[in-house]
Amino acid sequence: MNPVDTPKTRILLADDHALVRHGLRLILDAEPDLMVVAEAADGAEAVEAASAGDVDLAVLDIAMPRMTGIQAAREISRRFPGIRILILSMYDNEQYFFESLKAGASGYVLKSVADRDLLEACRAAMRGEPFLYPGAITALIRDYLQRVRRGERVPESILTPREEEIVKLIAEGNSAKEIAETLVISVKTVDRHRANILQKLGMRDRLDLTRYAIRAGLVEP
């Protein structure tokens, strides 16, 4: 495909330093397939810009006033699930990295090497792939191995077997009364399990649980 005909990824760029935004915008706008269409100086502005539509990808600095990049990522991910998210940070920090992933980000890009990694990260995010710099990959592997050594279940199995049963039944469209009858427990117990499940997974409603059940292989899409 001719570069001129390449559909452009529309990017929201959020950083509280105008000079940083300008530099990153120059890098992004120089590419035939990438285009900055909105800028924000803090997390709240980023969420507002995302709500205006016409954004495919949000690139959010982690340390911003009013609302951090992670808080903005959480809100954008919840309200606009079609927008992909990348987190920018000055810090090679495992906690920030894991919090970014939990907030819905597709990747974590260090500012010190943004000129090298940002373009690749943007394209990976739009392909639906995670972008992990070498230190982040090491952190993920170390976290996984520590969990295995401690005998913990791996992250995708965060729910107990009974909770997985209930998620599956919810995703299949059963009411609390029907679930209670199937599992021979009270409706009150079903409701308590459901509340615990939502809290564990950081989800809000039946639709979120159904999506989770499909991703976890508990039900077929």
Side-chain angles (χ1 to χ4, degrees):
M1 185 183 289
N2 188 306
V4 175
D5 301 325
T6 303
K8 287 181 179 283
T9 295
R10 299 163 301 178
I11 297 171
L12 159 62
L13 186 57
D15 192 295
D16 57 324
H17 295 98
L19 198 58
V20 173
R21 289 201 310 274
H22 179 70
L24 294 173
R25 182 167 196 152
L26 288 177
I27 293 170
L28 294 166
D29 282 347
E31 298 299 304
D33 58 329
L34 305 173
M35 174 176 61
V36 176
V37 296
E39 292 187 26
D42 60 54
E45 281 186 16
V47 173
E48 188 178 337
S51 69
D54 297 326
V55 171
D56 304 308
L57 173 66
V59 179
L60 310 171
D61 178 32
I62 203 167
M64 293 188 290
R66 288 179 65 198
M67 182 186 280
T68 68
I70 289 176
Q71 289 173 310
R74 198 176 292 126
E75 188 68 10
I76 290 170
S77 183
R78 182 181 69 80
R79 292 173 56 187
F80 317 108
I83 297 179
R84 304 287 168 83
I85 299 168
L86 290 174
I87 293 291
L88 276 174
S89 178
M90 290 176 62
Y91 306 105
D92 182 355
N93 180 297
E94 287 186 20
Q95 183 179 351
Y96 288 162
F97 165 65
F98 283 116
E99 287 297 324
S100 298
L101 295 186
K102 280 164 59 180
S106 299
Y108 187 93
V109 180
L110 294 178
K111 283 187 175 181
S112 57
V113 288
D115 56 335
R116 183 193 73 200
D117 287 352
L118 183 56
L119 300 179
E120 182 186 345
C122 288
R123 291 173 180 134
M126 295 313 298
R127 291 194 303 267
E129 300 170 4
F131 176 83
L132 305 175
Y133 66 95
I137 296 170
T138 302
L140 277 176
I141 294 171
R142 184 165 54 243
D143 179 72
Y144 175 81
L145 292 176
Q146 285 172 349
R147 286 171 182 269
V148 170
R149 278 196 294 270
R150 291 195 298 261
E152 293 180 18
R153 306 182 81 193
V154 292
E156 58 267 30
S157 301
I158 191 172
L159 302 181
T160 66
R162 173 46 61 94
E163 286 170 344
E164 285 188 348
E165 271 186 300
I166 289 172
V167 169
K168 179 174 171 59
L169 289 166
I170 290 172
E172 289 171 347
N174 293 282
S175 67
K177 184 172 182 294
E178 289 167 334
I179 294 170
E181 289 171 357
T182 300
L183 299 179
V184 197
I185 57 178
S186 70
V187 171
K188 191 173 181 180
T189 301
V190 173
D191 289 339
R192 189 171 66 248
H193 277 304
R194 182 177 178 276
N196 288 340
I197 291 163
L198 289 171
Q199 184 177 26
K200 268 189 183 182
L201 299 177
M203 294 178 177
R204 292 164 55 85
D205 53 28
R206 176 185 289 267
L207 182 58
D208 284 341
L209 287 179
T210 301
R211 289 176 181 142
Y212 171 84
I214 292 168
R215 289 199 307 272
L218 297 174
V219 296
E220 293 185 4

